[in-house]
PDB file of all heavy atoms in Angstrom:
ATOM      1  N   ARG A   1     207.093 133.455 186.607  1.00 57.00           N
ATOM      2  CA  ARG A   1     207.782 134.636 186.004  1.00 57.00           C
ATOM      3  C   ARG A   1     207.999 134.548 184.474  1.00 57.00           C
ATOM      4  O   ARG A   1     207.914 133.395 183.938  1.00 57.00           O
ATOM      5  CB  ARG A   1     209.244 134.917 186.597  1.00 57.00           C
ATOM      6  CG  ARG A   1     210.055 133.835 186.365  1.00 57.00           C
ATOM      7  CD  ARG A   1     211.394 134.095 187.055  1.00 57.00           C
ATOM      8  NE  ARG A   1     212.221 132.870 186.869  1.00 57.00           N
ATOM      9  CZ  ARG A   1     213.220 132.483 187.536  1.00 57.00           C
ATOM     10  NH1 ARG A   1     213.591 133.362 188.465  1.00 57.00           N
ATOM     11  NH2 ARG A   1     213.875 131.483 187.177  1.00 57.00           N
ATOM     12  N   PHE A   2     208.149 135.731 183.763  1.00 58.00           N
ATOM     13  CA  PHE A   2     208.491 135.562 182.350  1.00 58.00           C
ATOM     14  C   PHE A   2     209.797 135.272 182.109  1.00 58.00           C
ATOM     15  O   PHE A   2     210.699 135.509 182.793  1.00 58.00           O
ATOM     16  CB  PHE A   2     208.178 137.067 181.775  1.00 58.00           C
ATOM     17  CG  PHE A   2     206.747 137.474 181.706  1.00 58.00           C
ATOM     18  CD1 PHE A   2     206.292 138.468 182.590  1.00 58.00           C
ATOM     19  CD2 PHE A   2     205.876 136.830 180.882  1.00 58.00           C
ATOM     20  CE1 PHE A   2     204.949 138.860 182.601  1.00 58.00           C
ATOM     21  CE2 PHE A   2     204.523 137.183 180.947  1.00 58.00           C
ATOM     22  CZ  PHE A   2     204.073 138.182 181.692  1.00 58.00           C
ATOM     23  N   SER A   3     210.053 134.553 180.976  1.00 68.00           N
ATOM     24  CA  SER A   3     211.458 134.250 180.676  1.00 68.00           C
ATOM     25  C   SER A   3     212.255 135.405 180.246  1.00 68.00           C
ATOM     26  O   SER A   3     211.623 136.441 179.747  1.00 68.00           O
ATOM     27  CB  SER A   3     211.473 133.207 179.432  1.00 68.00           C
ATOM     28  OG  SER A   3     210.895 133.813 178.321  1.00 68.00           O
ATOM     29  N   GLN A   4     213.528 135.339 180.351  1.00 80.00           N
ATOM     30  CA  GLN A   4     214.442 136.490 180.106  1.00 80.00           C
ATOM     31  C   GLN A   4     214.491 136.704 178.621  1.00 80.00           C
ATOM     32  O   GLN A   4     214.514 137.848 178.195  1.00 80.00           O
ATOM     33  CB  GLN A   4     215.811 136.192 180.594  1.00 80.00           C
ATOM     34  CG  GLN A   4     216.805 137.264 180.377  1.00 80.00           C
ATOM     35  CD  GLN A   4     218.119 136.962 181.075  1.00 80.00           C
ATOM     36  OE1 GLN A   4     218.354 135.914 181.570  1.00 80.00           O
ATOM     37  NE2 GLN A   4     219.089 137.864 180.851  1.00 80.00           N
ATOM     38  N   TYR A   5     214.492 135.615 177.762  1.00 83.00           N
ATOM     39  CA  TYR A   5     214.618 135.726 176.288  1.00 83.00           C
ATOM     40  C   TYR A   5     213.358 135.175 175.737  1.00 83.00           C
ATOM     41  O   TYR A   5     212.803 134.249 176.159  1.00 83.00           O
ATOM     42  CB  TYR A   5     215.871 134.990 175.857  1.00 83.00           C
ATOM     43  CG  TYR A   5     217.053 135.502 176.417  1.00 83.00           C
ATOM     44  CD1 TYR A   5     217.942 134.632 176.947  1.00 83.00           C
ATOM     45  CD2 TYR A   5     217.374 136.916 176.453  1.00 83.00           C
ATOM     46  CE1 TYR A   5     219.207 135.136 177.453  1.00 83.00           C
ATOM     47  CE2 TYR A   5     218.615 137.391 176.865  1.00 83.00           C
ATOM     48  CZ  TYR A   5     219.397 136.502 177.428  1.00 83.00           C
ATOM     49  OH  TYR A   5     220.603 136.904 177.867  1.00 83.00           O
ATOM     50  N   GLN A   6     212.830 135.893 174.711  1.00 85.00           N
ATOM     51  CA  GLN A   6     211.660 135.440 173.821  1.00 85.00           C
ATOM     52  C   GLN A   6     212.006 135.411 172.447  1.00 85.00           C
ATOM     53  O   GLN A   6     213.015 136.050 171.983  1.00 85.00           O
ATOM     54  CB  GLN A   6     210.487 136.225 174.146  1.00 85.00           C
ATOM     55  CG  GLN A   6     210.123 136.423 175.533  1.00 85.00           C
ATOM     56  CD  GLN A   6     209.036 137.521 175.778  1.00 85.00           C
ATOM     57  OE1 GLN A   6     208.843 138.340 174.899  1.00 85.00           O
ATOM     58  NE2 GLN A   6     208.669 137.678 177.025  1.00 85.00           N
ATOM     59  N   SER A   7     211.385 134.587 171.654  1.00 86.00           N
ATOM     60  CA  SER A   7     211.518 134.635 170.236  1.00 86.00           C
ATOM     61  C   SER A   7     212.872 134.402 169.833  1.00 86.00           C
ATOM     62  O   SER A   7     213.507 135.159 168.997  1.00 86.00           O
ATOM     63  CB  SER A   7     210.924 135.880 169.575  1.00 86.00           C
ATOM     64  OG  SER A   7     210.975 135.885 168.188  1.00 86.00           O
ATOM     65  N   VAL A   8     213.670 133.296 170.238  1.00 91.00           N
ATOM     66  CA  VAL A   8     215.018 133.092 170.025  1.00 91.00           C
ATOM     67  C   VAL A   8     215.090 132.492 168.553  1.00 91.00           C
ATOM     68  O   VAL A   8     214.457 131.525 168.216  1.00 91.00           O
ATOM     69  CB  VAL A   8     215.545 132.116 171.035  1.00 91.00           C
ATOM     70  CG1 VAL A   8     216.987 131.698 170.812  1.00 91.00           C
ATOM     71  CG2 VAL A   8     215.368 132.648 172.452  1.00 91.00           C
ATOM     72  N   LYS A   9     216.090 132.968 167.812  1.00 93.00           N
ATOM     73  CA  LYS A   9     216.388 132.578 166.486  1.00 93.00           C
ATOM     74  C   LYS A   9     217.927 132.448 166.304  1.00 93.00           C
ATOM     75  O   LYS A   9     218.624 133.395 166.638  1.00 93.00           O
ATOM     76  CB  LYS A   9     215.746 133.520 165.369  1.00 93.00           C
ATOM     77  CG  LYS A   9     214.246 133.545 165.405  1.00 93.00           C
ATOM     78  CD  LYS A   9     213.651 134.422 164.486  1.00 93.00           C
ATOM     79  CE  LYS A   9     212.197 134.423 164.747  1.00 93.00           C
ATOM     80  NZ  LYS A   9     211.581 135.381 163.738  1.00 93.00           N
ATOM     81  N   VAL A  10     218.243 131.345 165.707  1.00 94.00           N
ATOM     82  CA  VAL A  10     219.695 131.212 165.288  1.00 94.00           C
ATOM     83  C   VAL A  10     220.082 131.684 163.994  1.00 94.00           C
ATOM     84  O   VAL A  10     219.349 131.677 163.078  1.00 94.00           O
ATOM     85  CB  VAL A  10     220.040 129.643 165.312  1.00 94.00           C
ATOM     86  CG1 VAL A  10     221.510 129.359 165.204  1.00 94.00           C
ATOM     87  CG2 VAL A  10     219.560 128.981 166.693  1.00 94.00           C
ATOM     88  N   SER A  11     221.250 132.434 163.915  1.00 94.00           N
ATOM     89  CA  SER A  11     221.822 132.912 162.779  1.00 94.00           C
ATOM     90  C   SER A  11     222.015 131.771 161.772  1.00 94.00           C
ATOM     91  O   SER A  11     222.103 130.614 162.136  1.00 94.00           O
ATOM     92  CB  SER A  11     223.087 133.701 162.940  1.00 94.00           C
ATOM     93  OG  SER A  11     224.214 132.822 163.360  1.00 94.00           O
ATOM     94  N   PRO A  12     222.076 132.187 160.435  1.00 95.00           N
ATOM     95  CA  PRO A  12     222.227 131.099 159.419  1.00 95.00           C
ATOM     96  C   PRO A  12     223.540 130.286 159.556  1.00 95.00           C
ATOM     97  O   PRO A  12     223.668 129.049 159.364  1.00 95.00           O
ATOM     98  CB  PRO A  12     222.271 131.743 158.159  1.00 95.00           C
ATOM     99  CG  PRO A  12     221.324 133.106 158.384  1.00 95.00           C
ATOM    100  CD  PRO A  12     221.646 133.406 159.903  1.00 95.00           C
ATOM    101  N   ASP A  13     224.627 130.983 160.035  1.00 94.00           N
ATOM    102  CA  ASP A  13     225.859 130.142 160.334  1.00 94.00           C
ATOM    103  C   ASP A  13     225.978 129.594 161.676  1.00 94.00           C
ATOM    104  O   ASP A  13     226.893 128.873 161.970  1.00 94.00           O
ATOM    105  CB  ASP A  13     227.052 131.147 160.032  1.00 94.00           C
ATOM    106  CG  ASP A  13     227.163 132.330 160.990  1.00 94.00           C
ATOM    107  OD1 ASP A  13     226.256 132.358 161.958  1.00 94.00           O
ATOM    108  OD2 ASP A  13     228.134 133.162 160.825  1.00 94.00           O
ATOM    109  N   GLY A  14     225.038 129.760 162.523  1.00 93.00           N
ATOM    110  CA  GLY A  14     224.917 129.222 163.807  1.00 93.00           C
ATOM    111  C   GLY A  14     225.833 129.792 164.939  1.00 93.00           C
ATOM    112  O   GLY A  14     225.975 129.332 165.911  1.00 93.00           O
ATOM    113  N   LYS A  15     226.466 130.983 164.489  1.00 94.00           N
ATOM    114  CA  LYS A  15     227.468 131.566 165.534  1.00 94.00           C
ATOM    115  C   LYS A  15     226.780 132.539 166.395  1.00 94.00           C
ATOM    116  O   LYS A  15     227.321 132.977 167.517  1.00 94.00           O
ATOM    117  CB  LYS A  15     228.579 132.258 164.746  1.00 94.00           C
ATOM    118  CG  LYS A  15     229.382 131.358 163.999  1.00 94.00           C
ATOM    119  CD  LYS A  15     230.508 132.071 163.255  1.00 94.00           C
ATOM    120  CE  LYS A  15     231.379 131.121 162.476  1.00 94.00           C
ATOM    121  NZ  LYS A  15     232.358 131.837 161.719  1.00 94.00           N
ATOM    122  N   HIS A  16     225.555 133.067 166.147  1.00 94.00           N
ATOM    123  CA  HIS A  16     224.866 134.000 166.975  1.00 94.00           C
ATOM    124  C   HIS A  16     223.452 133.593 167.185  1.00 94.00           C
ATOM    125  O   HIS A  16     222.756 132.768 166.450  1.00 94.00           O
ATOM    126  CB  HIS A  16     224.929 135.365 166.296  1.00 94.00           C
ATOM    127  CG  HIS A  16     226.251 135.968 166.265  1.00 94.00           C
ATOM    128  ND1 HIS A  16     227.065 135.709 165.062  1.00 94.00           N
ATOM    129  CD2 HIS A  16     226.972 136.605 167.148  1.00 94.00           C
ATOM    130  CE1 HIS A  16     228.233 136.306 165.340  1.00 94.00           C
ATOM    131  NE2 HIS A  16     228.216 136.930 166.533  1.00 94.00           N
ATOM    132  N   LEU A  17     222.847 134.053 168.303  1.00 93.00           N
ATOM    133  CA  LEU A  17     221.423 134.014 168.597  1.00 93.00           C
ATOM    134  C   LEU A  17     220.835 135.402 168.582  1.00 93.00           C
ATOM    135  O   LEU A  17     221.458 136.248 169.203  1.00 93.00           O
ATOM    136  CB  LEU A  17     221.110 133.414 169.973  1.00 93.00           C
ATOM    137  CG  LEU A  17     221.670 131.967 170.122  1.00 93.00           C
ATOM    138  CD1 LEU A  17     221.469 131.501 171.585  1.00 93.00           C
ATOM    139  CD2 LEU A  17     220.870 130.940 169.283  1.00 93.00           C
ATOM    140  N   ALA A  18     219.667 135.527 168.073  1.00 94.00           N
ATOM    141  CA  ALA A  18     218.907 136.699 168.157  1.00 94.00           C
ATOM    142  C   ALA A  18     217.714 136.514 169.128  1.00 94.00           C
ATOM    143  O   ALA A  18     217.111 135.537 168.957  1.00 94.00           O
ATOM    144  CB  ALA A  18     218.380 137.304 166.826  1.00 94.00           C
ATOM    145  N   VAL A  19     217.560 137.503 169.991  1.00 93.00           N
ATOM    146  CA  VAL A  19     216.435 137.176 171.070  1.00 93.00           C
ATOM    147  C   VAL A  19     215.697 138.548 171.227  1.00 93.00           C
ATOM    148  O   VAL A  19     216.267 139.621 171.198  1.00 93.00           O
ATOM    149  CB  VAL A  19     216.992 136.713 172.350  1.00 93.00           C
ATOM    150  CG1 VAL A  19     217.679 135.386 172.199  1.00 93.00           C
ATOM    151  CG2 VAL A  19     217.970 137.663 173.038  1.00 93.00           C
ATOM    152  N   ILE A  20     214.481 138.517 171.710  1.00 94.00           N
ATOM    153  CA  ILE A  20     213.781 139.605 172.082  1.00 94.00           C
ATOM    154  C   ILE A  20     213.863 139.571 173.623  1.00 94.00           C
ATOM    155  O   ILE A  20     213.487 138.492 174.339  1.00 94.00           O
ATOM    156  CB  ILE A  20     212.245 139.587 171.654  1.00 94.00           C
ATOM    157  CG1 ILE A  20     212.142 139.663 170.177  1.00 94.00           C
ATOM    158  CG2 ILE A  20     211.416 140.734 172.406  1.00 94.00           C
ATOM    159  CD1 ILE A  20     212.530 141.055 169.634  1.00 94.00           C
ATOM    160  N   THR A  21     214.161 140.596 174.314  1.00 91.00           N
ATOM    161  CA  THR A  21     214.283 140.656 175.748  1.00 91.00           C
ATOM    162  C   THR A  21     213.569 142.026 176.260  1.00 91.00           C
ATOM    163  O   THR A  21     213.817 143.054 175.682  1.00 91.00           O
ATOM    164  CB  THR A  21     215.643 140.629 176.158  1.00 91.00           C
ATOM    165  OG1 THR A  21     215.809 140.499 177.635  1.00 91.00           O
ATOM    166  CG2 THR A  21     216.560 141.877 175.670  1.00 91.00           C
ATOM    167  N   PRO A  22     212.829 141.883 177.276  1.00 91.00           N
ATOM    168  CA  PRO A  22     212.247 143.134 177.826  1.00 91.00           C
ATOM    169  C   PRO A  22     213.184 144.054 178.598  1.00 91.00           C
ATOM    170  O   PRO A  22     213.918 143.481 179.498  1.00 91.00           O
ATOM    171  CB  PRO A  22     211.097 142.626 178.714  1.00 91.00           C
ATOM    172  CG  PRO A  22     211.437 141.271 179.087  1.00 91.00           C
ATOM    173  CD  PRO A  22     212.365 140.794 177.964  1.00 91.00           C
ATOM    174  N   ILE A  23     213.198 145.250 178.298  1.00 90.00           N
ATOM    175  CA  ILE A  23     214.063 146.214 178.947  1.00 90.00           C
ATOM    176  C   ILE A  23     213.288 147.404 179.328  1.00 90.00           C
ATOM    177  O   ILE A  23     212.805 148.091 178.427  1.00 90.00           O
ATOM    178  CB  ILE A  23     215.366 146.626 178.199  1.00 90.00           C
ATOM    179  CG1 ILE A  23     216.203 145.441 177.822  1.00 90.00           C
ATOM    180  CG2 ILE A  23     216.166 147.688 178.898  1.00 90.00           C
ATOM    181  CD1 ILE A  23     217.366 145.711 176.994  1.00 90.00           C
ATOM    182  N   GLU A  24     213.074 147.661 180.547  1.00 88.00           N
ATOM    183  CA  GLU A  24     212.292 148.885 180.964  1.00 88.00           C
ATOM    184  C   GLU A  24     210.777 148.839 180.328  1.00 88.00           C
ATOM    185  O   GLU A  24     210.410 149.953 179.860  1.00 88.00           O
ATOM    186  CB  GLU A  24     212.987 150.120 180.684  1.00 88.00           C
ATOM    187  CG  GLU A  24     214.312 150.335 181.496  1.00 88.00           C
ATOM    188  CD  GLU A  24     215.104 151.532 181.066  1.00 88.00           C
ATOM    189  OE1 GLU A  24     214.611 152.435 180.423  1.00 88.00           O
ATOM    190  OE2 GLU A  24     216.175 151.889 181.636  1.00 88.00           O
ATOM    191  N   GLY A  25     210.271 147.710 180.348  1.00 86.00           N
ATOM    192  CA  GLY A  25     208.832 147.702 179.823  1.00 86.00           C
ATOM    193  C   GLY A  25     208.805 147.635 178.243  1.00 86.00           C
ATOM    194  O   GLY A  25     207.564 147.494 177.778  1.00 86.00           O
ATOM    195  N   LYS A  26     209.767 147.592 177.491  1.00 89.00           N
ATOM    196  CA  LYS A  26     209.675 147.586 176.077  1.00 89.00           C
ATOM    197  C   LYS A  26     210.603 146.486 175.508  1.00 89.00           C
ATOM    198  O   LYS A  26     211.671 146.072 176.188  1.00 89.00           O
ATOM    199  CB  LYS A  26     210.136 148.942 175.497  1.00 89.00           C
ATOM    200  CG  LYS A  26     209.319 150.068 175.844  1.00 89.00           C
ATOM    201  CD  LYS A  26     209.589 151.456 175.055  1.00 89.00           C
ATOM    202  CE  LYS A  26     211.007 151.735 175.193  1.00 89.00           C
ATOM    203  NZ  LYS A  26     211.319 152.964 174.532  1.00 89.00           N
ATOM    204  N   ASN A  27     210.213 145.841 174.410  1.00 91.00           N
ATOM    205  CA  ASN A  27     211.076 144.800 173.720  1.00 91.00           C
ATOM    206  C   ASN A  27     212.282 145.325 173.139  1.00 91.00           C
ATOM    207  O   ASN A  27     212.154 146.391 172.346  1.00 91.00           O
ATOM    208  CB  ASN A  27     210.269 144.054 172.747  1.00 91.00           C
ATOM    209  CG  ASN A  27     209.125 143.177 173.463  1.00 91.00           C
ATOM    210  OD1 ASN A  27     209.185 142.871 174.580  1.00 91.00           O
ATOM    211  ND2 ASN A  27     208.101 142.884 172.609  1.00 91.00           N
ATOM    212  N   ALA A  28     213.377 144.813 173.329  1.00 93.00           N
ATOM    213  CA  ALA A  28     214.718 145.087 172.647  1.00 93.00           C
ATOM    214  C   ALA A  28     215.155 143.866 171.960  1.00 93.00           C
ATOM    215  O   ALA A  28     214.725 142.718 172.274  1.00 93.00           O
ATOM    216  CB  ALA A  28     215.643 145.668 173.682  1.00 93.00           C
TER     217      ALA A  28
END
């Protein structure tokens, strides 16, 4: 199966993660 999160990047201060996640067939 595909992973839930793709292209994970940490914010410069390390407090947040930005991720690409598929929702209804499109990347969000």
